[in-house]
Amino acid sequence: MTSSSGPGTDAPTSQPPAALVPRGLVLLGGAPEEVTAWAARTVVPLVVAPAAPWIVAVVAGEARVGAPYDDPALLVAGRPVPAKAGPALGFFEVDGRAVITVQGPGRRRGPRWVVWEPDLGLLRPPGLELAGPAELVRVAGADPDVRDELVDLLHETRSRPLRMLQAVMATLSLPLARLLGEPERADALDGAVRHEPQGREVDRFEDGVADSVRLRRELGALP
């Protein structure tokens, strides 16, 4: 694995225990140079690696910004993906919920959401633009026939967030679902590059703080 760390990087001196590393990854279908540019502007440590036909970006540590804006999975989930770096599908565990983000091709700015909670199933957080099963299937490039299977899966209420996310990825024939449970293994992927937040990107983060706060409130304003 190589690293993109450079001057101005607040790189950690050691990696946190695996159990403390947040769970989340994004599969991006765009040009490698566009994905690299997107990852280079992160305020959350990411490990980026080829996962043909996708490129995977795995949340690999704590955010370099202070509370209450420091949930790394939520920060990555809410981050727009430029059109040339997408389409993109994100899978995250946030506050005990399974959160899936969809950013299809085109110029739409920001993700559409699937939010699922144990014992409750699918949720409709106010203020979030929701994605449907057909959109997940289409952006994933999966067989259209799996839509009904995906609908049944998302109406299950007795699973756990990690298992639900991995099951959705398996249903959509997406790679590397195991990294949600073992994100530390991302460093060993062929061609993996670690992107640590640069100081200048952390300084710019305040421009996006309002969006992160809004997302947390929306995800928390649930029955």
Side-chain angles (χ1 to χ4, degrees):
M1 184 193 73
T2 59
S3 174
S4 67
S5 299
T9 299
D10 297 321
T13 57
S14 62
Q15 294 298 314
L20 299 181
V21 174
R23 289 171 171 162
L25 63 81
V26 184
L27 294 170
L28 302 104
E33 63 272 18
E34 298 291 340
V35 175
T36 296
W38 175 82
R41 295 190 294 271
T42 185
V43 296
V44 174
L46 297 173
V47 173
V48 176
W54 301 90
I55 299 172
V56 65
V58 182
V59 177
E62 298 298 328
R64 300 293 191 265
V65 294
Y69 321 123
D70 55 350
D71 184 326
L74 187 58
L75 286 170
V76 178
R79 188 177 170 200
V81 171
K84 291 182 180 180
L89 290 162
F91 300 86
F92 308 90
E93 185 172 354
V94 178
D95 294 337
R97 301 180 181 100
V99 175
I100 302 170
T101 58
V102 186
Q103 301 192 57
R107 298 189 177 275
R108 179 191 301 274
R109 181 168 179 81
R112 292 159 64 93
W113 301 78
V114 177
V115 182
W116 179 95
E117 183 171 330
D119 301 322
L120 296 175
L122 285 172
L123 304 172
R124 301 182 66 85
L128 295 185
E129 189 172 359
L130 303 181
E135 185 174 7
L136 287 174
V137 171
R138 183 175 64 255
V139 174
D143 187 327
D145 291 341
V146 307
R147 178 189 175 280
D148 290 344
E149 182 180 351
L150 185 61
V151 169
D152 291 342
L153 176 62
L154 290 170
H155 281 88
E156 170 64 51
T157 60
R158 291 182 290 181
S159 186
R160 307 307 300 167
L162 175 60
R163 290 185 179 274
M164 176 57 67
L165 293 169
Q166 291 175 326
V168 170
M169 292 185 70
T171 301
L172 296 173
S173 299
L174 294 172
L176 300 177
R178 70 182 186 279
L179 294 180
L180 287 169
E182 300 176 301
E184 69 278 5
R185 291 181 176 268
D187 286 330
L189 294 173
D190 289 342
V193 176
R194 177 175 285 268
H195 292 265
E196 296 288 349
Q198 300 288 315
R200 63 180 177 272
E201 298 301 334
V202 175
D203 290 342
R204 292 173 185 166
F205 174 76
E206 62 182 11
D207 293 337
V209 160
D211 286 342
S212 180
V213 172
R214 179 185 60 80
L215 288 173
R216 176 169 289 282
R217 288 173 177 166
E218 299 294 354
L219 289 171
L222 301 170

